């Protein structure tokens, strides 16, 4: 599993509330929901990170 890096993310309050609600509806954490949303967007736009070979 890839190493995760922490960073601060600033969102407006209404956007955060909407993401929290969506996460709750999908039984995910807010962080998990944001990761899922970003991964979905990257895939849809063919922007996934290159896979590292061992």
């Amino acid at each position: 599993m890839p190493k995760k890096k922490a960073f601060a993310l600033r969102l407006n309050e209404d956007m955060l509330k909407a993401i929290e609600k969506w996460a709750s509806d999908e039984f995910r954490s807010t962080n998990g929901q944001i990761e899922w949303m970003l991964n979905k967007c990257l895939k849809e736009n063919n922007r996934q990170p290159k896979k590292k070979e061992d």
Side-chain angles (χ1 to χ4, degrees):
M1 177 173 253
K3 184 178 172 183
K4 293 191 178 194
K5 184 175 179 175
F7 72 100
L9 175 65
R10 293 179 187 90
L11 300 173
N12 76 45
E13 191 174 342
D14 292 336
M15 184 184 293
L16 181 56
K17 285 181 183 177
I19 294 169
E20 288 171 336
K21 169 79 170 83
W22 190 5
S24 177
D25 292 346
E26 300 284 328
F27 303 104
R28 291 187 182 104
S29 66
T30 302
N31 188 72
Q33 186 69 23
I34 292 169
E35 282 189 280
W36 178 84
M37 292 164 61
L38 290 170
N39 278 318
K40 183 175 186 241
C41 186
L42 287 168
K43 285 178 188 175
E44 288 173 355
N45 291 282
N46 294 319
R47 297 287 192 159
Q48 303 99 311
K50 303 260 191 282
K51 301 224 182 205
K52 291 183 181 179
E53 293 185 27
D54 294 329

